[in-house]
Every structure is written in C-alpha cells, then in structure tokens.
Amino acid sequence: TTMRIELSQNLFSGFSTTNTMLAAEHSNNAAYHKLKSEEQSLVLNVVNAYTEIWFSRKRVEALKKMVTNLENTLKAQQSSLEAGMSTPTDVAEADSKYQAAIYSLINAETELMTAESEFERLTGLKADNNMELPDFRFELPESVNKLISRAMTSNSTINMAKLQEQAALKNLDATRGRLSPSCDATLSASKQVSKERTDGVRGFDSNPQHYSATVAVTIDRKSTRLN
C-alpha cells in the first residue's frame, strides 16, 4: 500500500491571473455605470414626457381659444356678406383660417394623447389633470471648461466606455501572459506500507518515507524540470 500526497502551486504565469482579476473588476464597474446610465436616461425620459404633457396641454388650450375666435370671425364675415359689407373672398379667407386652426387643434390633441401614453408607459401612472411645470434649478459652473470637466467625470456613459476599454486591455494582457513562460512548484510526500509474515505472524513493515520537490518552467509547451 502506497500513501502519497502532492501539492502544486503556480508561481508565475506572466501575470495572467492578476490581469484577469483586474479585467473582471473593470467589467464589474462598467456594468455599474451602465446601470447608472440607464437610470439617468429613464429619469430624463420621464422629465421629457412630463414637460411634453404640460406643453401639449397649453398648446391645446391656446388652439381651442383660437378656433373659437376664428369661428366667431367667420360668422361675422358671413353676416357682413349678407349685409353687403364684405366680399366672398373675405369669407373664404376667414373659413380657411378657421379650418387650419381646427386641423392644428386635432394635431395638438393627438400629440397630447401620445405624450400621456408615453408618460404612463415610463411610470405606470396616469397623467394628472393638474400637472404643472416643475421648478428646475441648476447651479452651473463658472466657466465652460469647468462644465465640460464636470460632465466628463460624472457622465456614466463615458465612464462605462472607459472602464470597458480598460477591461479589454487587461484581458489582452492576460492572454499575452498565458503565452509567456510559466513556473510551477510541486511538493510531494509518499510512504509505502507492506504486509509480511514473521514467524508465522502477519504484521506490517513500514518502508522509509520519500519526499520530493519539483520546479517546472514551461516555455512554448516544452518543460524543463529541476528536482
């Protein structure tokens, strides 16, 4: 019976493991910034949808008043025509403006319905009838250069792209490391135990223990061993 234990440990592999870990860390940070970028995009889309509803409602209200005024103007022109105080051309012009206003109103109402549907899709909430324009307050930097610098450092999309680049470079270094020479150490210990008969009695005879240490350097799939 032979009992043997062996331990193997890589000592050097062109920093492949280190670069692989760094690549994984950069990829993880890039995924975080990707999530932040999607979150910022969602918030921006919600704000855009909210303000679009406010603008569309104001436009619909203004066009309704315009339609009412142009309708009154058309009726006045028709009355004036009957009284001989205006011409058919004046009536046709008033009717044209009235019809154009109706078309603009229908188009504005369609845009309002689209904006409300988009807001409900993004938030899962129906647009309130009393929506007011939010009070946006921004503290802008003192200069354009500071504004660009702040945007470059806080922009999640830019940070994600930079980290993805770093992850790709570290993966490349890891691949190069696997192609470089590697060094491995192996420690082993063994002991052999045999059964023997002594004066008709079966017993155990333990042979001496054996130890060995091996260092292997691998270059282009060819190994050189030092014992």
Side-chain angles (χ1 to χ4, degrees), residues 100-178:
I102 292 177
Y103 173 80
S104 298
L105 176 60
I106 294 174
N107 186 47
E109 289 176 341
T110 303
E111 292 179 353
L112 175 59
M113 293 176 59
T114 302
E116 291 177 343
S117 299
E118 180 67 11
F119 180 80
E120 184 176 356
R121 183 186 70 85
L122 293 172
T123 63
L125 303 174
K126 290 188 177 295
D128 189 2
N129 293 327
N130 298 320
M131 296 177 67
E132 296 293 337
L133 188 65
D135 184 14
F136 296 107
R137 295 182 180 181
F138 301 100
E139 295 182 2
L140 295 177
E142 299 176 356
S143 63
V144 177
N145 292 332
K146 289 184 178 180
L147 176 62
I148 295 175
S149 177
R150 181 179 299 180
M152 293 293 290
T153 56
S154 60
N155 190 304
S156 296
T157 303
I158 295 177
N159 292 331
M160 178 188 68
K162 289 180 178 179
L163 290 168
Q164 288 177 340
E165 178 188 13
Q166 292 299 320
L169 292 174
K170 291 302 179 182
N171 280 323
L172 178 61
D173 292 338
T175 302
R176 289 173 177 172
R178 287 191 289 270

Side-chain angles (χ1 to χ4, degrees), residues 75-96:
K75 291 179 179 180
Q77 290 291 347
Q78 291 173 342
S79 299
S80 297
L81 178 63
E82 295 175 355
M85 299 177 60
S86 70
T87 64
T89 303
D90 296 331
V91 175
E93 183 180 358
D95 183 60
S96 176

